[in-house]
Amino acid sequence: MSFLKSVRERRRFQGTPLSNKLKVIQGDVLKCDLPYFDICVANIPYQISSPLTFKLLSHRPAFRCAVIMFQREFAMRLVAQPGDTLYCRLSVNTQLLARVSHLLKVGRNNFRPPPKVDSSVVRIEPRKPLPPVSFKEWDGLVRLCFNRKNKTLGSIFRQKSVISLLEKNYKTLQSLQNGSSGVEDDLGVLGDTTEDISMEVDGGRDDNDEMDVEDGDGNAGDESDFKEKVLGVLRQGDFEEKRSSKLTQVDFLYLLSLFNKAGIHFSSS
């Protein structure tokens, strides 16, 4: 099914054998309830790239394929691999849900008048089935790791603020009966990637972990024990000296499973 914005396009089909197969929906795509579709082909306003991508990926039943033109830098983030400069939360979250491939670059001079940016066409194929993971948990871990993607994980997880957050979740979940939400229920959290670009600006600065200042010791008792519990998980999976910028999907899934097995969670609900 094709989604055409223009009434002019609808008129082109009037009186043809295909007219009864065309349905025009006028409205804000981010606010509309999308009907069933199998294929999506779109040239979109670039400012809605992230929310639209994740709205499509959260749509059920899942579509077969989408071919979309994005601003080139956004497209390169979608397809970036571990170790690439543009590898970020957006890359990891999108590739968790879909196979993403770059099809072609579309230079600004192909448009009249030329815009200020280049574009790229990307193919998105949802993974079926989705990985059996809580997306709130996943995003909590990935968001934390990519806050400073070039620090070692050991440096990130030694911070008092991180330890305090995880310990709070740990105690909260211990007091509740353990339950799990449906895989699709919390998928929307992955679409909030507004901070990714700003985090990349100073990405190179984080390579020097000696510049990191660990937060104060605070209460030495339970907090110290819990910190050792967290660091023990990193050591168990040989993650303490690794950096988020080099971790694969499999690495993040394995790390999350290790934390969860230890009773450590990244979402308290």
Side-chain angles (χ1 to χ4, degrees):
M1 179 184 293
S2 299
F3 299 97
L4 305 176
K5 296 185 296 182
S6 172
V7 174
R8 188 171 52 202
E9 293 295 332
R10 179 166 48 186
R11 289 173 179 166
R12 288 176 53 195
F13 283 83
Q14 287 180 348
T16 72
L18 298 177
S19 60
N20 63 340
K21 295 184 178 182
L22 174 66
K23 181 178 180 180
V24 176
I25 301 175
Q26 292 179 292
D28 186 335
V29 68
L30 297 181
K31 298 177 181 178
C32 290
D33 292 330
L34 299 180
Y36 167 80
F37 65 96
D38 190 34
I39 300 292
C40 173
V41 179
N43 176 15
I44 66 173
Y46 290 162
Q47 66 268 25
I48 67 169
S49 294
S50 183
L52 178 60
T53 298
F54 285 94
K55 177 167 185 172
L56 292 175
L57 288 173
S58 64
H59 185 66
R60 292 296 175 270
F63 58 92
R64 180 158 56 94
C65 174
V67 177
I68 304 176
M69 185 159 67
F70 296 108
Q71 182 175 334
R72 181 165 175 78
E73 184 176 355
F74 183 88
M76 292 298 97
R77 289 175 184 274
L78 287 180
V79 302
Q81 297 298 306
D84 292 349
T85 301
L86 293 179
Y87 190 60
C88 61
R89 271 185 63 233
L90 175 64
S91 318
V92 175
N93 285 344
T94 306
Q95 292 170 31
L96 176 74
L97 305 176
R99 296 176 180 85
V100 190
S101 54
H102 181 265
L103 298 182
L104 72 152
K105 177 181 178 181
V106 183
R108 65 192 74 185
N109 291 328
N110 287 287
F111 300 93
R112 293 291 182 271
K116 295 181 179 180
V117 297
D118 291 323
S119 303
S120 279
V121 178
V122 170
R123 179 185 179 95
I124 300 174
E125 298 176 84
R127 297 187 186 277
K128 301 175 186 177
L130 288 175
V133 61
S134 163
F135 296 114
K136 287 183 179 178
E137 284 280 295
W138 170 270
D139 191 61
L141 170 65
V142 173
R143 185 186 295 268
L144 187 62
C145 290
F146 275 93
N147 186 45
R148 285 292 181 266
K149 72 176 186 178
N150 291 315
K151 284 185 178 181
T152 63
L153 295 184
S155 175
I156 291 173
F157 282 92
R158 280 186 175 88
Q159 297 176 77
K160 183 179 179 181
S161 58
V162 173
I163 294 296
S164 296
L165 172 65
L166 296 181
E167 187 171 20
K168 180 180 178 181
N169 289 346
Y170 181 77
K171 292 179 177 178
T172 299
L173 288 166
Q174 275 194 324
S175 67
L176 299 173
Q177 183 174 356
N178 188 24
S180 60
S181 62
V183 170
E184 298 170 12
D185 291 347
D186 50 14
L187 192 153
V189 299
L190 305 186
D192 178 16
T193 55
T194 53
E195 80 280 18
D196 283 341
I197 293 179
S198 62
M199 286 181 180
E200 299 301 321
V201 172
D202 59 356
R205 188 179 63 193
D206 293 328
D207 286 327
N208 187 356
D209 284 324
E210 295 180 358
M211 296 296 292
D212 298 336
V213 179
E214 187 175 325
D215 292 321
D217 290 334
N219 298 326
D222 293 341
E223 183 179 281
S224 178
D225 292 341
F226 188 77
K227 177 189 285 187
E228 186 55 36
K229 182 180 182 71
V230 170
L231 296 179
V233 171
L234 295 181
R235 296 185 189 113
Q236 179 184 353
D238 194 26
F239 284 106
E240 193 171 18
E241 298 303 317
K242 293 182 179 179
R243 304 170 193 268
S244 306
S245 59
K246 303 292 180 63
L247 296 185
T248 66
Q249 296 283 324
V250 173
D251 291 331
F252 281 115
L253 287 168
Y254 179 46
L255 179 59
L256 181 59
S257 71
L258 291 178
F259 273 121
N260 288 171
K261 286 178 183 177
I264 299 171
H265 293 268
F266 296 84
S267 171
S268 59
S269 59

